[in-house]
């Protein structure tokens, strides 16, 4: 592994942007305020922002690589490799693939979740981003409980989320366009889909006990848990009591306030910030951020969104960039228990972005260093020549 020297640049150190140079050795940041020394690879970061890599705790845009059109499948290994390139090229150095394990057949079925988990495990050494498995359990998927319990106990799950989209599914069945999209995704006939929903609903009384058992297994395994789309403070409290201390996309301000008062991490989607509101018409993330009711932004369904959202928040005077950046780096790292990353400091994992922020709403990613490796570079002229190295470095090379 080649040591790297970043010359100049405005680096996010603590809560301030500071003109300073950094050195990387192995997988970690070796020194803040470094001289070039014997580094064989040097990058000119002057006039750029030097920022911690993005930690994305919920992203499911990889589904589009797996099924770019309804009913059109591509191999999982190809889809994951492409998703890795997309994540890295948008500054995401730690990515949790949010994988739905649902009672539906097709893209979000238990078999597909298992295949995706196994593929991530096989391909992880090949990925540039630190790639992790975020299992989104549809709580009505009672048939998968035993297998998911085994995955949790074996340490194969990095984040575990409780999702309940049944009410939405039932509501959407009366809307032809949404119904057709759901049916297409499953590959079932319309009649077979109706029968499946009826069968799943008939077991509603078994869901709470199943959730409690799975939460107990996750706690025993030390797996951090999230609850998704909490609708009331009482719902948030119930999940918190089971150990789910991350509130993912609470649907109203009252629930978000209850989560904040209890010290829960609160996640909203970065696309919501970039687009100026939710595509579903629910909570506006920038309003929640302004009120102190959002601590983490995630890519959700669009990998470019976290980078764009941080700069959008700064441009709109919702937060200074230094605080906005915490929503996509330091805060998600804390929420997921990854204490080795999320900030630029000596001894921390060297996940570093070089960003041209001269156009406030259109930041350009110039370079990405992930775990001490230069994995993305758009301007080769930023590489400093050997002629600029100290003589002893040239001789050593």
């Amino acid at each position: 592994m080649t040591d790297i020297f970043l010359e100049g640049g405005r680096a996010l150190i603590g809560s301030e942007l500071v003109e300073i140079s950094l050195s990387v050795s192995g997988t970690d940041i070796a020194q803040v305020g470094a001289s070039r020394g014997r580094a064989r690879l040097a990058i000119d970061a002057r006039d750029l922002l030097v920022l911690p890599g993005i930690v994305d705790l919920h992203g499911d845009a990889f589904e589009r690589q797996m099924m770019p059109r309804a009913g059109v499948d591509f191999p999982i290994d190809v889809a994951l490799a492409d998703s890795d390139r997309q994540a890295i090229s948008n500054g995401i150095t730690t990515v949790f693939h949010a994988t739905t394990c649902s009672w539906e057949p097709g893209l979000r079925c238990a078999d597909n979740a298992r295949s995706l988990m196994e593929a991530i495990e096989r391909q992880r050494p090949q990925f540039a981003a630190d790639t992790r498995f975020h299992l989104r359990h549809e709580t009505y998927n009672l048939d998968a409980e035993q297998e998911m319990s085994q995955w949790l106990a074996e340490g194969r799950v990095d984040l575990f989320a409780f999702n309940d989209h049944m009410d939405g599914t039932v509501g959407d069945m009366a809307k032809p366009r949404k119904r057709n999209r759901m049916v297409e995704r499953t590959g079932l006939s319309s009649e077979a889909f109706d029968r499946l929903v009826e069968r799943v609903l008939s077991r509603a009384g078994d869901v709470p006990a199943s959730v409690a058992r799975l939460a107990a297994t996750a706690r025993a395994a030390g797996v951090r848990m999230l609850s998704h789309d909490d609708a009331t403070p009482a719902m948030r409290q119930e999940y918190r009591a089971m150990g789910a201390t991350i509130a993912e996309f609470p649907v109203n301000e009252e629930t978000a306030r209850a989560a904040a008062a209890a010290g829960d991490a609160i996640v909203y989607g970065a696309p919501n910030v970039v687009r100026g509101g939710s595509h579903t018409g629910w909570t506006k993330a920038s309003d929640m951020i302004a009120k102190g009711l959002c601590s983490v932004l995630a890519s959700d369904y669009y990998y470019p969104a976290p980078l764009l959202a941080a700069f959008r928040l700064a441009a709109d005077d919702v937060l200074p960039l230094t605080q906005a950046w915490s929503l996509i780096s330091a805060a998600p790292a804390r929420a997921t228990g990854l204490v080795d990353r999320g900030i630029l400091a000596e001894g921390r994992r060297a996940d570093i972005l070089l960003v041209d922020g001269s156009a406030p709403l259109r930041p350009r990613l110039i370079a990405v260093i992930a775990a001490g490796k230069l994995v993305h570079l758009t301007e080769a002229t930023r590489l400093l020549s050997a002629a600029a190295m100290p003589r002893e470095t040239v001789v050593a090379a």
Side-chain angles (χ1 to χ4, degrees), residues 252-316:
N252 53 55
E253 184 172 331
E254 180 187 19
T255 303
R257 286 195 178 279
D264 300 331
I266 304 171
V267 183
Y268 281 107
N272 184 313
V273 173
V274 176
R275 299 179 69 252
S278 168
H279 70 284
T280 62
W282 285 3
T283 311
K284 186 175 180 180
S286 58
D287 288 347
M288 295 296 100
I289 292 167
K291 295 172 181 178
L293 300 177
C294 170
S295 54
V296 173
L297 286 174
S299 74
D300 198 4
Y301 55 87
Y302 193 59
Y303 288 133
L307 175 66
L308 294 171
F311 281 81
R312 172 74 186 265
L313 289 169
D316 290 349

Side-chain angles (χ1 to χ4, degrees), residues 103 202 243 264 327 342:
W103 46 267
S202 71
D264 300 331
L327 297 174

Side-chain angles (χ1 to χ4, degrees), residues 34-116:
S35 58
R36 183 159 178 178
R38 302 179 65 84
R40 297 190 179 194
L41 176 62
I43 303 173
D44 180 5
R46 290 171 295 183
D47 303 320
L48 299 178
L49 295 168
V50 182
L51 302 168
I54 295 169
V55 178
D56 183 24
L57 63 72
H58 176 127
D60 58 26
F62 67 88
E63 288 186 342
R64 282 202 300 277
Q65 277 65 258
M66 293 172 63
M67 187 179 285
R69 290 184 178 178
V72 179
D73 298 311
F74 276 80
I76 288 178
D77 60 333
V78 173
L80 286 177
D82 188 26
S83 297
D84 180 61
R85 288 189 290 269
Q86 289 193 31
I88 283 293
S89 66
N90 285 290
I92 299 171
T93 52
T94 302
V95 58
F96 287 80
H97 285 322
T99 306
T100 301
C101 186
S102 177
W103 46 267
E104 301 177 36
L107 180 65
R108 295 180 172 178
C109 70
D111 287 343
N112 210 43
R114 184 189 316 109
S115 296
L116 188 61

Side-chain angles (χ1 to χ4, degrees), residues 113-123 133 151 156:
R114 184 189 316 109
S115 296
L116 188 61
M117 178 183 68
E118 292 170 350
I120 290 171
E121 292 170 346
R122 284 194 307 271
Q123 291 178 250
F133 185 57
W151 297 347
R156 303 176 76 180

